[in-house]
Amino acid sequence: MHRRLIAPGALASASLLLAIPASAASHSPGAPGIGDPYYPAYGNGGYDVSHYDLRLKYRPATDELEGTATLLVRATQDLSRFNLDFLLDVGEVRVDGAKASFAASGEHELEITPRTPLAKGTSFSVVVRYRGVPSSKRAYGFTSWHRTPDGGVAANEPEAAAWWFPGNDHPLDKATYDVSVQVPDGTQAISNGTLQSTDSRLGWTRYHWRSDKPQATYLATLAIGRFDVTRGTTESGIPVLNAYSKDLGEHYGAARASLERSGEIADWLSGFFGPYPYDALGGYVPNTDTGYALETQTRPFYSPRNFANGSNTSLVVHELAHQWYGDLVSVAGWKDIWINEGFARYAQWLWSEHEGEGTAQELADHVYASHPADDPFWTVPPGDPGPENQFHTAVYDRGALALQALRNEIGDEAFFAVLEGWPRAYAHGNASVADFRRYAERVSGKPLAALFDTWLFQPSKPAAPAARAASVAQTREASVPPRSWRKIAATNGVHEHGTREHEDGHGRAHGAHED
């Protein structure tokens, strides 16, 4: 890393000051964080990225990645300097073609000082040339790059991008992507969106993937290895591409039996959430030792361990539900995680109903009955769980319970109108829990502040009268789990990112949640 040096001496300094336009005095550095209280250093202020063009080369044997990232950016303030979130070793940075000085700071910051300050509203390009071994890089005590026997995988929440490309790493700054990856012949590169082309030359093959709809940085994924790839088309005409590591062993059959139903499940979910929002669909299962799954946009990531006990279409429902709730509409801040996880869990309850394995009401009754009033489960408020509990079971199960309470309060007609209308109302944008409450009130015509407070924000079990009003009664029958419960419960850890290797400084467990 280096900074450009200024010629020493008082006269040189005075001349430099005289040469700076008067307007430059108002320019200031962009903030090193986007302003999320859960993760103050995540994302950056002062600009907005509209497109990432990533041209990469990867050597599976050594885990070496080299790349050139081109970012198309617009300044949202008068900028003297700005940050990108990045961990690999940078060789050169250019802003609008001119070399810029740069330096590493903090856990994952790349500070860039352009030769000329940037005025608010200006569109500009940033080119970063870099290389490194992603698995050797750690931030906050963990890595989001997963080494596999035949390559590597970038997939994690709330962060993974900094291990393979420089960016504004927060859901508030969505962009489109071109990801072009060169790998040795016989190895494949899997990413989001549609495969535009493959070209082989001199022992290397280049894969070019494109995501043409806005995508959050943590939803961008890269998997390099040896895969069996299947292709198909949904009934609604969406192309489906699934990829399975060739060395999944005993998990291969169950994984494939699950993911091959992705098209069917997406078509079914569109009946509740509206048309599938992207032009690509599928999933991939690399040979990682992680325990979680993640809703990487258009192509969710699944761990082999997700299928250790057989096929699990409920998990596929969860990750595909996120394509609407979490991907199409993303959180305004990480405290709004219920907007993602409560709804994806409720989709599993609806799938259970569809499969005749227990109604959403029966599942709600079971969740309510399974946790006595003194269970710490009730002390985690899904509407603002805190960074240490972002992927707590309560965010999922109590979060879905809140939706069943809402359904009972406003009736099926209004409830399902809300489920379908919400993704359309905030498509390709961001929203908060408060935004959802206001939307539900507008559609239903009912005041809902008390209901949302009871089920999402109070650190205690709702009292029996409130439970009865929501038709969630604690009964002996409710303590007997519906048939679907085992498969649903198997996904409880899927978003808890929970092995020591992924534990970060916030105390989050990175390894077992169904993001």
Side-chain angles (χ1 to χ4, degrees):
M1 302 291 183
H2 70 274
R3 285 186 181 277
R4 188 174 302 283
L5 299 177
I6 298 173
L11 182 58
S13 298
S15 300
L16 183 67
L17 288 171
L18 289 171
I20 296 174
S23 61
S26 64
H27 290 70
S28 59
I34 208 165
D36 193 315
Y38 275 25
Y39 308 109
Y42 285 20
N44 303 285
Y47 65 90
D48 181 80
V49 182
S50 63
H51 185 72
Y52 292 91
D53 183 274
L54 309 176
R55 193 167 179 85
L56 311 173
K57 185 174 185 178
Y58 181 76
R59 294 173 172 82
T62 57
D63 197 38
E64 292 175 274
L65 179 70
E66 60 183 280
T68 300
T70 302
L71 284 63
L72 303 183
V73 189
R74 182 179 60 85
T76 58
Q77 70 175 66
D78 291 331
L79 280 174
S80 60
R81 188 182 74 222
F82 60 93
N83 287 18
L84 296 175
D85 301 303
F86 196 45
L87 287 164
L88 299 185
D89 304 319
V90 175
E92 181 182 79
V93 177
R94 290 178 179 265
V95 176
D96 276 345
K99 284 188 176 181
S101 61
F102 59 91
S105 68
E107 291 274 349
H108 65 264
E109 300 289 340
L110 175 64
E111 295 183 355
I112 297 172
T113 305
R115 179 176 295 181
T116 304
L118 300 161
K120 180 179 180 180
T122 300
S123 294
F124 60 98
S125 64
V126 181
V127 176
V128 182
R129 298 184 186 275
Y130 57 93
R131 65 174 60 236
V133 177
S135 60
S136 71
K137 302 297 185 181
R138 299 178 74 82
Y140 306 100
F142 69 95
T143 176
S144 286
W145 180 269
H146 315 297
R147 195 77 166 94
T148 63
D150 54 9
V153 176
N156 209 343
E157 182 184 17
E159 69 292 282
W163 277 263
W164 64 288
F165 69 93
N168 195 10
D169 199 9
H170 191 278
L172 279 174
D173 193 355
K174 295 183 176 184
T176 54
Y177 287 74
D178 278 295
V179 179
S180 174
V181 191
Q182 192 176 40
V183 293
D185 286 350
T187 298
Q188 294 129 299
I190 306 294
S191 191
N192 313 81
T194 56
L195 183 61
Q196 301 291 297
S197 63
T198 57
D199 298 294
S200 296
R201 186 182 179 197
L202 302 176
W204 292 81
T205 301
R206 182 171 289 280
Y207 294 82
H208 175 197
W209 296 87
R210 172 167 291 172
S211 298
D212 63 357
K213 298 290 192 301
Q215 176 175 283
T217 45
Y218 86 95
L219 297 173
T221 193
L222 178 64
I224 297 169
R226 297 175 181 269
F227 295 95
D228 289 329
V229 175
T230 67
R231 291 176 171 84
T233 307
T234 70
E235 204 169 77
S236 57
I238 306 296
V240 183
L241 185 149
N242 294 315
Y244 310 90
S245 177
K246 289 179 179 291
D247 56 358
L248 287 181
E250 63 181 0
H251 300 316
Y252 183 92
R256 188 162 174 176
S258 304
L259 267 66
E260 292 303 307
R261 297 185 69 182
S262 294
E264 170 199 348
I265 289 168
D267 280 339
W268 175 79
L269 284 168
S270 69
F272 295 99
F273 301 154
Y276 180 74
Y278 306 111
D279 60 359
L281 177 66
Y284 72 95
V285 190
N287 189 18
T288 65
D289 59 2
T290 59
Y292 63 90
L294 181 68
E295 66 270 19
T296 40
Q297 192 161 307
T298 70
R299 191 148 291 111
F301 158 85
Y302 301 89
S303 161
R305 276 197 283 163
N306 298 153
F307 309 105
N309 296 317
S311 63
N312 193 342
T313 54
S314 184
L315 174 60
V316 177
V317 169
H318 187 107
E319 301 310 329
L320 292 184
H322 275 313
Q323 303 306 306
W324 288 266
Y325 281 85
D327 296 8
L328 179 60
V329 182
S330 299
V331 295
W334 282 112
K335 71 181 180 62
D336 299 306
I337 190 67
W338 173 74
I339 292 289
N340 295 12
E341 302 305 345
F343 292 77
R345 173 52 49 84
Y346 196 78
Q348 292 177 273
W349 291 11
L350 293 173
W351 178 253
S352 170
E353 215 165 86
H354 172 69
E355 294 287 273
E357 295 187 340
T359 67
Q361 186 62 65
E362 289 167 345
L363 286 159
D365 289 346
H366 176 68
V367 169
Y368 187 86
S370 297
H371 298 282
D374 60 353
D375 190 327
F377 172 88
W378 298 107
T379 66
V380 177
D384 189 358
E388 70 284 356
N389 288 317
Q390 186 176 344
F391 301 115
H392 192 282
T393 302
V395 176
Y396 295 75
D397 288 343
R398 185 177 172 182
L401 201 58
L403 284 170
Q404 184 63 26
L406 175 65
R407 179 179 178 179
N408 291 327
E409 174 68 19
I410 67 177
D412 277 9
E413 184 177 352
F415 177 75
F416 288 110
V418 168
L419 280 194
E420 182 176 4
W422 168 261
R424 184 171 61 249
Y426 286 88
H428 306 300
N430 303 77
S432 67
V433 174
D435 290 327
F436 182 83
R437 176 180 60 80
R438 286 190 289 266
Y439 182 80
E441 288 177 331
R442 190 161 67 249
V443 172
S444 68
K446 292 191 173 187
L448 298 170
L451 182 140
F452 273 71
D453 183 61
T454 296
W455 291 96
L456 293 180
F457 294 100
Q458 289 302 314
S460 58
K461 185 172 184 175
R468 275 198 300 275
S471 298
V472 182
Q474 187 169 4
T475 65
R476 184 181 300 273
E477 291 74 19
S479 67
V480 178
R483 279 196 312 167
S484 62
W485 181 251
R486 186 176 64 85
K487 292 292 187 184
I488 294 172
T491 65
N492 272 347
V494 176
H495 277 198
E496 279 164 5
H497 299 209
T499 54
R500 195 66 175 158
E501 62 188 281
H502 301 298
E503 187 179 74
D504 68 29
H506 302 289
R508 282 167 302 138
H510 279 258
H513 70 123
E514 348 98 8
D515 296 4

